[in-house]
Amino acid sequence: MTVDVSVQLTYTVTWRGISDGLKIQMRHSPVGRWCHRIMWVLGAFLAFAIAATVLSRGIGAVDASTWSAFLAICLLLAGVRRLTALRVLGYARHLGEHRVTVDASGIRTVTERHTQETGRQFYGRCIEGRRVFVLLTPDASRTGVMILPKHGLKAPQDSDRLRELITSHLTTA
């Protein structure tokens, strides 16, 4: 029988950590995957329409509204996650330094302006990225997310302990 040991993270939230976490959430969320696919299909359709118009009638036949719609879709594909991460970063920086304790009872987050305790049953899945651990809620859309950056760990072996501690107590998704 293994003894549960707490793992502590102390970190200041970074844009990269939030962006990585949101990227992982989008890949593992049905809603995120569908939104991404719809934007790609719409962008491909507009690109095809522009190419067909240019080939059949020349470049002058494509009006400014078509070009602006195509540009907007390209920017949305490239920038939605980045802009969302930027907005979340503003809120996270307002909270200050994060001190997170993960143990057998759950996850406790303490900042300069906020304290939160989350029980084990709240999260159903953990996905590990290169820089972050992302905890997702077990609901159908997986909208609830907690991002735990690895740079907040005190020692490299804490990453293995955190992984084991989180996965051993997750509810079934």
Side-chain angles (χ1 to χ4, degrees):
M1 178 166 173
T2 61
V3 177
D4 286 327
V5 178
S6 66
V7 175
Q8 296 185 353
L9 296 95
T10 303
Y11 59 90
T12 302
V13 178
T14 63
W15 177 84
R16 173 61 71 194
I18 294 172
S19 182
D20 287 352
L22 292 176
K23 182 178 183 179
I24 290 171
Q25 181 196 23
M26 183 177 273
R27 285 183 180 166
H28 291 85
S29 161
V31 173
R33 286 191 303 265
W34 274 104
C35 288
H36 196 71
R37 287 177 189 147
I38 288 169
M39 293 301 293
W40 272 106
V41 166
L42 192 55
F45 174 75
L46 272 174
F48 177 74
I50 289 171
T53 304
V54 168
L55 289 174
S56 65
R57 292 188 236 157
I59 192 90
V62 181
D63 61 352
S65 63
T66 306
W67 285 115
S68 61
F70 182 68
L71 179 63
I73 288 174
C74 290
L75 290 175
L76 283 173
L77 276 170
V80 167
R81 178 176 43 91
R82 291 167 181 88
L83 290 174
T84 303
L86 193 59
R87 293 303 306 148
V88 172
L89 179 62
Y91 171 71
R93 284 199 175 149
H94 169 72
L95 295 176
E97 182 180 71
H98 288 63
R99 292 173 300 283
V100 179
T101 304
V102 180
D103 58 20
S105 63
I107 302 168
R108 179 176 171 81
T109 305
V110 178
T111 68
E112 296 169 11
R113 295 183 172 86
H114 181 262
T115 300
Q116 175 182 340
E117 290 190 38
T118 307
R120 288 282 177 199
Q121 68 278 10
F122 190 74
Y123 295 107
R125 188 168 184 194
C126 176
I127 297 103
E128 183 177 355
R130 200 167 42 143
R131 296 182 193 97
V132 294
F133 286 95
V134 178
L135 301 172
L136 299 172
T137 55
D139 60 326
S141 61
R142 291 179 187 86
T143 53
V145 62
M146 176 177 273
I147 302 168
L148 299 172
K150 291 181 180 180
H151 69 83
L153 296 167
K154 294 177 182 170
Q157 65 268 23
D158 286 347
S159 181
D160 295 331
R161 287 187 14 222
L162 180 61
R163 182 183 312 106
E164 182 181 327
L165 191 58
I166 289 172
T167 56
S168 68
H169 289 91
L170 289 176
T171 59
T172 319

